[in-house]
Amino acid sequence: QKVAALPLLAPFQQLLPEALIERWCLQANHFWRKRIWTPAQTVWSCVRKQCTLESGRQIEDWHALSHPSPDTQTRSGHSFCEARARLPIPIYLKALRHVGAQASDQAAQMWFGLRVWLADGTTSGLPRTAENLAAFGQSTNQSGASRFPLLRWVLLVCAGTAAVLNVAWGPYGVGEMRLLLLLISHLPAGGILVADRLFGNYLTLASVQRRGSHALCRRHVNRSNNCIRRLGKGDEIHLWTKPRIRNFGSPHLLKLLPETLELRVISRILHRDGFRDVHLTLVTTLLDHHRYPPDACVKLYLQRWSIEGNIRTLKLNHGLRFLSAHKPQTACREFLAALLAFNTVRYQLAASGKPPARLSHTRACALMITFSDRMCEAAPPRQAILYQNFLRAVAQLTVPPQPRPPEPRAIVRQRRRFPFLTCSRQAWKLKYNVA
């Protein structure tokens, strides 16, 4: 008996149809039985979980509404968790890239004929288990090691829709630079990568240029001036030589890069009312100053800050601030499912016809869940009408400009002063046996 489709992506199933997910499973040599939790329904349920931040038990309760069963067994969330663990990680990654590419095709940002991408990295916390500590590690500084293990990840984001096109992740000990090089190895041609100061080095610029694209970054502080030609005020051509890096993870990549590289360095002083002046020094592979004016390059780089807001949305709205998985493989699945849920919302924002940057992601996510449940109960002819109503409602979720003057970096409401738990709960109970 054929199982009915879950209501989450109905009628959004053009994004991730069941036939496409099953084809990916067959390509990955993953076979399954005809049960309630099929691969497609597992992926859709993972998206809903990361959109609503519900528990596995709540997902099974919601699942029981669309799949009534005479079984009276208590729903504890284990069925959903087991179905999520059975699905291979490459399926989540392919779904993420697929939805991100479709969202980018809706409203990609073009700049002088180049598609604009943004890149940045951050970390996510994980529960303190022996498996997570061994797989991801902890951060260490002068105060000692951190309490919880950390997962490091770097995103490649479409500037027009903020959809995640690709992602690289690894233990905390793996640097963001090495993760970015993994993303650059799959970078298509004909675009421009905008990144912050950490990536403004020889390896990033030469690797992106080797892929047939361009890069625009803030110059790294360790780079000295080596001007060979002046193009204008604050606009110069510099000659960079290939660095000699010891213990580099990809020695074959260094052999493929040229010994010297001509790059363009743009210097400007930014004046903002209420803020101190900022001396901005950019480095780019765009050498033609007539086709790519320096002020236009500076204006493009200032859009890079939008990816910081997208990372904040991922952490607060989709559960990437602190993952809940106790095992490394499950943590990777939860991490990719959160990015997939984020891309699903970004696709709806782009499909509304309005600029996605001016629409509210949080309100659109809540509206998508409400409308999807309502469309599930409607007849097929009525679903198309409801979907158009949904897109019109999303187009009205505009966020007005909010000019913000300088504010004190202080909290209004003081939090409770409870001490931090510096040991395990079991060790605390043994020490304070009265409790």
Side-chain angles (χ1 to χ4, degrees):
Q1 183 180 1
K2 187 176 181 180
V3 181
L6 289 180
L8 173 64
L9 294 183
F12 311 141
Q13 294 182 4
Q14 71 276 11
L15 286 176
L16 291 170
E18 185 175 6
L20 179 62
I21 297 177
E22 291 182 355
R23 187 172 74 234
W24 290 338
C25 292
L26 295 177
Q27 292 175 355
N29 294 327
H30 172 67
F31 303 96
W32 64 97
R33 294 181 296 174
K34 289 296 181 179
R35 61 180 81 192
I36 295 180
W37 293 100
T38 63
Q41 293 170 1
T42 303
V43 171
W44 298 339
S45 298
C46 288
V47 174
R48 181 183 178 92
K49 182 181 185 301
Q50 300 304 138
C51 282
T52 59
L53 297 183
E54 296 175 341
S55 63
R57 181 178 300 176
Q58 291 172 315
I59 291 296
E60 289 189 1
D61 292 339
W62 163 79
H63 182 272
L65 296 178
S66 56
H67 295 81
S69 175
D71 188 7
T72 59
Q73 185 178 3
T74 303
R75 294 185 292 271
S76 59
H78 292 304
S79 299
F80 167 74
C81 295
E82 290 176 357
R84 182 178 59 178
R86 285 194 300 265
L87 203 60
I89 293 179
I91 305 301
Y92 295 92
L93 187 58
K94 286 185 178 181
L96 165 68
R97 294 172 177 172
H98 176 76
V99 178
Q102 286 198 344
S104 180
D105 293 340
Q106 290 283 337
Q109 179 181 351
M110 302 301 295
W111 185 79
F112 292 100
L114 300 174
R115 183 166 291 196
V116 183
W117 306 306
L118 307 177
D120 203 0
T122 183
T123 59
S124 296
L126 294 162
R128 184 182 174 86
T129 62
E131 294 86 349
N132 287 341
L133 286 173
F136 300 109
Q138 307 163 263
S139 64
T140 56
N141 52 25
Q142 295 178 354
S143 301
S146 63
R147 173 64 180 158
F148 298 100
L150 294 175
L151 170 70
R152 189 185 296 278
W153 42 283
V154 176
L155 299 179
L156 180 66
V157 173
C158 171
T161 62
V164 179
L165 302 177
N166 204 352
V167 61
W169 70 94
Y172 180 80
V174 178
E176 293 184 4
M177 186 61 208
R178 185 171 298 181
L179 296 178
L180 180 67
L181 292 177
L182 294 178
L183 298 180
I184 294 177
S185 62
H186 301 282
L187 197 69
I192 179 170
L193 177 67
V194 183
D196 60 2
R197 194 200 306 264
L198 176 64
F199 306 123
N201 51 53
Y202 183 92
L203 288 175
T204 301
L205 298 168
S207 300
V208 172
Q209 190 179 57
R210 182 174 174 270
R211 297 291 302 178
S213 295
H214 295 278
L216 175 64
C217 308
R218 199 169 180 178
R219 190 181 65 177
H220 199 277
V221 293
N222 293 335
R223 267 292 171 179
S224 58
N225 294 329
N226 187 18
C227 178
I228 60 175
R229 186 167 70 254
R230 297 186 182 274
L231 304 177
K233 183 178 180 180
D235 196 358
E236 304 172 344
I237 298 295
H238 288 207
L239 183 65
W240 286 14
T241 57
K242 183 167 63 173
R244 308 301 176 187
I245 304 179
R246 297 180 179 179
N247 300 328
F248 183 62
S250 302
H252 62 280
L253 178 61
L254 289 176
K255 298 179 181 179
L256 299 176
L257 300 180
E259 293 295 331
T260 59
L261 187 65
E262 288 190 5
L263 298 171
R264 182 179 170 197
V265 177
I266 303 172
S267 300
R268 289 292 186 272
I269 297 180
L270 302 181
H271 304 280
R272 298 179 298 171
D273 296 337
F275 296 87
R276 67 181 67 178
D277 295 343
V278 178
H279 183 74
L280 190 65
T281 303
L282 304 179
V283 58
T284 178
T285 56
L286 302 170
L287 303 182
D288 192 348
H289 63 289
H290 297 292
R291 184 176 181 182
Y292 310 104
D295 293 336
C297 295
V298 173
K299 185 178 179 180
L300 175 63
Y301 178 79
L302 294 180
Q303 299 181 16
R304 191 210 67 84
W305 187 255
S306 63
I307 193 175
E308 303 287 350
N310 300 329
I311 292 177
R312 180 186 60 185
T313 301
L314 278 166
K315 289 189 174 184
L316 297 182
N317 294 18
H318 297 285
L320 286 189
R321 183 174 179 270
F322 195 89
L323 302 175
S324 61
H326 288 197
K327 294 184 179 180
Q329 298 297 325
T330 309
C332 294
R333 291 178 173 89
E334 183 181 356
F335 166 70
L336 293 177
L339 297 180
L340 178 58
F342 177 82
N343 278 359
T344 305
V345 180
R346 302 312 300 185
Y347 176 85
Q348 309 306 329
L349 295 178
S352 66
K354 297 290 184 177
R358 302 307 310 164
L359 300 178
S360 174
H361 180 97
T362 304
R363 296 168 63 189
C365 183
L367 200 63
M368 184 185 73
I369 298 300
T370 302
F371 265 79
S372 61
D373 291 341
R374 186 176 302 174
M375 285 182 283
C376 160
E377 302 173 356
R382 179 64 179 169
Q383 288 182 353
I385 300 176
L386 288 176
Y387 182 62
Q388 295 302 321
N389 295 339
F390 164 72
L391 293 181
R392 283 193 291 267
V394 169
Q396 298 173 0
L397 303 178
T398 57
V399 179
Q402 300 176 2
R404 297 181 179 178
E407 298 289 348
R409 295 180 62 87
I411 59 176
V412 176
R413 181 178 298 177
Q414 187 176 7
R415 297 181 179 179
R416 298 179 179 179
R417 296 182 177 178
F418 287 111
F420 287 100
L421 185 64
T422 57
C423 61
S424 63
R425 294 182 181 273
Q426 184 178 3
W428 184 89
K429 292 178 180 179
L430 292 176
K431 182 177 181 181
Y432 301 96
N433 53 6
V434 177

